[in-house]
Amino acid sequence: MITFAWCGPFNSAEVESLHAAGFGHEPGDDDWWARVRRHSLGWVCARRPGGTLVGFVNVAWDGGGHAFLLDTVVAPDAGREGIGTGLVTLATEGAREAGCAWLHVDFEDHLSGFYLDACGFRPTPAGLIPL
């Protein structure tokens, strides 16, 4: 059974390893702990029995009514187990309990079924400038 924890403990190496596997890049030495402490309302960790991290989402915010999902990732060998929707559900609850009025997410087209259908986001127009 997968356990989910709002602001659950983690170490930067395990999040970096999960992120690298999920997004297809070599692991680096990003300090995820410093990042979430500085910029986040919270985050959600998903773990298998025994403690292996299999999911993570960061909930950044503007310090007021807007929160933003970033870095949603599930271990490649743990897909189709409901972990992604569990991460987003708990992130949504955490943002709501903190008094946020809006939870934003941007995503690539192939993820629209997940975010719009499975998680309940509604489409909105938005803009993006690649930097």
Side-chain angles (χ1 to χ4, degrees):
M1 172 181 224
I2 302 297
T3 58
F4 297 89
W6 174 251
C7 295
F10 69 85
N11 68 58
S12 291
E14 69 180 339
V15 174
E16 179 62 18
S17 178
L18 177 64
H19 194 271
F23 289 99
H25 63 82
E26 290 297 315
D29 60 356
D30 285 352
D31 188 347
W32 286 88
W33 188 242
R35 183 180 303 175
V36 299
R37 279 196 335 257
R38 187 174 34 208
H39 300 290
S40 300
L41 173 66
W43 58 89
V44 181
C45 295
R47 295 186 180 276
R48 288 203 186 282
T52 302
L53 185 71
V54 293
F56 180 84
V57 66
N58 183 11
V59 184
W61 72 324
D62 67 352
H66 295 264
F68 310 85
L69 292 185
L70 298 171
D71 302 308
T72 307
V73 63
V74 173
D77 65 349
R80 304 281 182 215
E81 296 181 30
I83 296 169
T85 55
L87 291 168
V88 173
T89 297
L90 191 52
T92 302
E93 292 170 8
R96 184 180 293 118
E97 288 174 9
C100 292
W102 298 98
L103 182 61
H104 304 262
V105 65
D106 63 348
F107 50 85
E108 295 177 359
D109 287 341
H110 72 278
L111 295 172
S112 64
F114 171 70
Y115 284 108
L116 301 179
D117 300 333
C119 296
F121 284 88
R122 65 178 192 235
T124 62
L128 179 67
I129 297 174
L131 302 175

